[in-house]
Amino acid sequence: MLLSISMGIALIFTQISDFRRDHDARLKGGHERINSIHGMQLPSSQDPLFSYGIKSGDRVPMDSLLTNQYLKDYLAVQESKQENHQSRKHIPVMHTKASLGHRFVEPVSVESEPFKLKKFLRVPPRLKMTSNAGGQTDRGYTEN
């Protein structure tokens, strides 16, 4: 329809199929377009050694990839960083009275009998607590 308008011909809907049969308006593509005068010539079609993009510098040697050399180098650098970090002087901790007091906690001696409700005083326990050589009770239970 647009082709007929650009040629200055006004068509009605019944004449469109006859006009398209006589005037081929399809776009050329593929090999027809490259060989045409108006077609774009690509550098890769003229020179088979041509490559697109920017070279990224030296190629990576495959033996370094296969032997995992890059990981070994990275681990060596990380290890040297850690050694340097450990060799630095550390700031000494300045203790306060509170921090010194919290450092020592007296052990709790369990000499009293465990709490029981009055209605369970006469019921024998199913588990018996064992005691260590130091006299402290263990939390490991043994069955009767």
Side-chain angles (χ1 to χ4, degrees):
M1 189 77 177
L2 292 176
L3 182 62
S4 65
I5 293 172
S6 65
M7 294 176 67
I9 302 171
L11 298 175
I12 58 173
F13 68 93
T14 57
Q15 298 171 334
I16 291 176
S17 62
D18 294 331
F19 180 82
R20 286 186 179 166
R21 191 177 324 115
D22 298 335
H23 301 86
D24 189 15
R26 290 179 290 186
L27 296 175
K28 293 181 181 177
H31 61 280
E32 295 174 357
R33 189 172 184 184
I34 291 174
N35 295 334
S36 68
I37 297 172
H38 303 291
M40 179 187 290
Q41 294 291 326
L42 297 175
S44 60
S45 62
Q46 296 171 0
D47 182 14
L49 299 176
F50 182 83
S51 62
Y52 295 94
I54 300 171
K55 287 189 177 182
S56 62
D58 296 334
R59 289 285 183 205
V60 176
M62 284 303 290
D63 58 342
S64 297
L65 287 175
L66 294 175
T67 59
N68 213 5
Q69 186 61 37
Y70 295 107
L71 177 65
K72 293 174 185 174
D73 294 342
Y74 173 77
L75 291 175
V77 169
Q78 293 301 318
E79 188 175 322
S80 66
K81 282 183 182 180
Q82 187 176 9
E83 288 174 2
N84 291 340
H85 180 69
Q86 288 177 353
S87 66
R88 294 181 189 161
K89 291 184 179 179
H90 292 287
I91 299 173
V93 178
M94 301 299 289
H95 290 288
T96 61
K97 288 182 181 180
S99 67
L100 292 173
H102 291 298
R103 193 186 313 176
F104 177 74
V105 178
E106 291 185 19
V108 179
S109 62
V110 183
E111 296 175 3
S112 62
E113 288 189 30
F115 172 76
K116 280 189 177 182
L117 290 174
K118 288 181 184 177
K119 63 181 179 179
F120 296 116
L121 285 175
R122 294 185 190 146
V123 177
R126 291 188 181 178
L127 300 175
K128 185 171 71 175
M129 295 178 66
T130 60
S131 60
N132 289 343
Q136 294 181 351
T137 57
D138 229 355
R139 292 293 177 199
Y141 298 102
T142 60
E143 291 188 26
N144 285 342

